[in-house]
Amino acid sequence: MGILRQGKPFSLALALALLPNALVASDSTYGKPQQLQSAAGQLFAMANRTRAQYGLGSLKWDSSLASGALQHCIRMTQGSSLSHQYRGEQDVTARASQAGAHFSLIEENIAIGPYAASIHQGWMNSPGHRANLLNPAIDRVGIVVLVRGGSLYAVADYSRAVPVLNPAQVEASFKTLLRARGLSVLRDPSAARAWCAASGRFRPTDGASFLMRWQGADLTALPSELVRRVASGEYRQAAVGSCPVQSVHGGFTAYRVAVLLYGMDAAALP
């Protein structure tokens, strides 16, 4: 489901994300606000220019990612070596999640360097950092830059954002996808919701002949097995129910859905 990829530290030190047009760190210990804003903005712009050169989509700024990266960047300026996680510190997934970010994938680049341009070039010269920055699956970024001892400390957190939806909205997304494939969807979600939350094996009841429980973050397409079942032509109706996710790793955002398929008319159902 979620993927955590962290670029390995190298001769540069990537730093935490500042909002390009807003102040995140004002303490003079870490450099002048205007300087930090400019460096973070430059890294943001260079990332998108480079992605465009490779035919990749632009990244949108995510203030939650930036907020989650700030404390880590401060820790970097205080340590004797670079690390993605210091003793007693949470990992990037927890930091970003607690800051309010919602994602199915998250990556992090860190570095120290004299200029924003040298940091960006260092990332591009490092296979792990380059893969993070040019990952076609990511669509958000937060970057913070701090100054200590004449060097720029930077953290760039990249993610694939997940929309924040309530259970009814999750169900509506699946209903729309099922209707687009010619199925009618029952109004009563209670049976599907009950099976969604259950852990036992499916036993056909109330005319339902197939159940799929699904958990993930992408609500724009049906699971491949469900597509195959619907395409068989055996089913005419469906019921959709959402429930709380189970066993989600770290701070990744996901949704859980059950879909019941029926081969009979809704009028014949209790």
Side-chain angles (χ1 to χ4, degrees):
M1 188 169 55
I3 299 174
L4 170 60
R5 182 189 296 134
Q6 299 181 335
K8 296 181 179 179
F10 59 119
S11 59
L12 298 178
L14 304 178
L16 189 64
L18 263 181
L19 292 171
N21 299 312
L23 178 62
V24 172
S26 59
D27 190 336
S28 60
T29 302
Y30 300 110
K32 296 180 180 180
Q34 294 82 357
Q35 180 184 11
L36 303 182
Q37 289 175 358
S38 175
Q42 288 174 41
L43 287 172
F44 180 48
M46 285 185 286
N48 276 332
R49 282 199 299 269
T50 302
R51 286 177 64 85
Q53 292 171 3
Y54 285 85
L56 301 172
S58 295
L59 302 176
K60 294 183 179 179
W61 187 264
D62 191 310
S63 58
S64 294
L65 289 177
S67 178
L70 179 58
Q71 295 305 315
H72 183 63
C73 196
I74 293 174
R75 289 287 297 270
M76 283 181 15
T77 67
Q78 297 171 342
S80 58
S81 62
L82 291 180
S83 175
H84 286 283
Q85 185 177 7
Y86 294 97
R87 183 186 297 273
E89 184 187 32
Q90 294 179 315
D91 67 13
V92 63
T93 61
R95 295 194 303 263
S97 178
Q98 290 186 4
H102 295 269
F103 48 86
S104 59
L105 176 155
I106 190 164
E107 309 169 334
E108 181 174 83
N109 282 353
I110 60 173
I112 300 171
Y115 308 105
S118 63
I119 290 176
H120 176 75
Q121 190 57 51
W123 284 339
M124 292 301 295
N125 291 339
S126 168
H129 294 83
R130 178 189 178 95
N132 286 348
L133 197 154
L134 297 182
N135 187 344
I138 62 173
D139 56 16
R140 298 289 190 277
V141 66
I143 305 169
V144 170
V145 175
L146 300 177
V147 179
R148 196 66 183 266
S151 296
L152 297 180
Y153 289 72
V155 175
D157 286 349
Y158 312 94
S159 78
R160 182 171 185 83
V162 174
V164 182
L165 304 176
N166 61 38
Q169 291 171 321
V170 173
E171 292 171 0
S173 296
F174 259 69
K175 289 177 180 179
T176 298
L177 295 171
L178 289 166
R179 289 183 180 120
R181 292 183 176 274
L183 271 68
S184 62
V185 181
L186 303 182
R187 293 183 179 180
D188 184 2
S190 57
R193 288 177 178 175
W195 276 112
C196 181
S199 58
R201 296 184 62 183
F202 176 60
R203 296 181 301 277
T205 59
D206 299 334
S209 54
F210 175 77
L211 162 71
M212 168 169 280
R213 295 190 189 94
W214 171 88
Q215 185 165 299
D218 185 4
L219 298 177
T220 63
L222 295 173
S224 58
E225 173 61 16
L226 186 56
V227 171
R228 188 183 70 81
R229 289 278 182 167
V230 172
S232 71
E234 300 176 23
Y235 309 99
R236 301 172 61 184
Q237 296 176 313
V240 178
S242 178
C243 63
V245 297
Q246 299 179 10
S247 303
V248 176
H249 171 69
F252 293 104
T253 298
Y255 300 105
R256 187 172 177 83
V257 177
V259 176
L260 292 166
L261 295 181
Y262 301 84
M264 59 187 298
D265 292 335
L269 297 173

